[in-house]
């Protein structure tokens, strides 16, 4: 994707293969969006997760750019990304609807929000 906003409203909206966002926003508005390959997010891109959604990456997550999560103050730990392995981190994180102490935690096979 190179610019604009792509809203994914079902698990298979991205089809098969690798996904790269160079510019623009990938907005996830389904419980779990599957990437059947690697996911690469460049510095000028945004991943937006709405309504307690998550991104399941069946390959490597190459992270950068902005993460925006519109969530709730519910669970102590919320998994928002799963992957086989990852490199990098989001350079800007916006957590809306979470407790003031919420933070993003990068683990070996997932990214979680802890509050």
């Amino acid at each position: 994707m190179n610019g604009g906003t792509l809203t994914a409203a079902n698990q298979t909206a991205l089809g098969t293969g690798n996904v790269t966002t160079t510019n623009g926003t990938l907005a996830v508005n389904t419980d779990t969006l599957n990437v059947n390959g690697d996911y690469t997010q460049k510095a000028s891109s945004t991943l937006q997760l709405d309504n307690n959604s998550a991104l399941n990456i069946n390959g490597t997550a190459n992270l950068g750019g902005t993460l925006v999560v519109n969530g709730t103050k519910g669970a102590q730990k919320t998994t928002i990304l799963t992957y086989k392995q990852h490199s990098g981190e989001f350079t800007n994180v916006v957590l809306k609807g979470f407790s003031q102490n919420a933070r993003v935690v990068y683990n070996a096979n997932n990214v979680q929000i802890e509050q």
Side-chain angles (χ1 to χ4, degrees):
M1 182 174 73
N2 190 7
T5 299
L6 174 64
T7 301
N10 67 57
Q11 289 184 336
T12 60
L14 299 178
T16 60
N18 298 332
V19 174
T20 300
T21 56
T22 304
N23 290 301
T25 300
L26 173 59
V28 180
N29 196 3
T30 184
D31 290 339
T32 302
L33 176 64
N34 294 316
V35 174
N36 293 309
D38 296 339
Y39 175 76
T40 301
Q41 182 171 318
K42 303 290 185 175
S44 57
S45 296
T46 299
L47 173 62
Q48 179 179 314
L49 301 173
D50 291 328
N51 302 321
N52 298 315
S53 57
L55 189 63
N56 176 41
I57 302 160
N58 292 321
T60 301
N62 301 297
L63 305 177
T66 300
L67 171 66
V68 176
V69 182
N70 297 308
T72 61
K73 296 180 181 179
Q76 290 292 333
K77 289 185 182 180
T78 304
T79 300
I80 57 171
L81 271 84
T82 58
Y83 41 73
K84 301 258 187 251
Q85 60 186 13
H86 87 282
S87 67
E89 295 182 355
F90 296 105
T91 54
N92 184 33
V93 175
V94 179
L95 302 175
K96 298 178 182 177
F98 289 90
S99 70
Q100 188 174 11
N101 297 324
R103 64 188 180 103
V104 173
V105 178
Y106 298 86
N107 299 305
N109 297 105
N110 64 43
V111 174
Q112 295 181 315
I113 297 173
E114 292 183 357
Q115 44 183 354

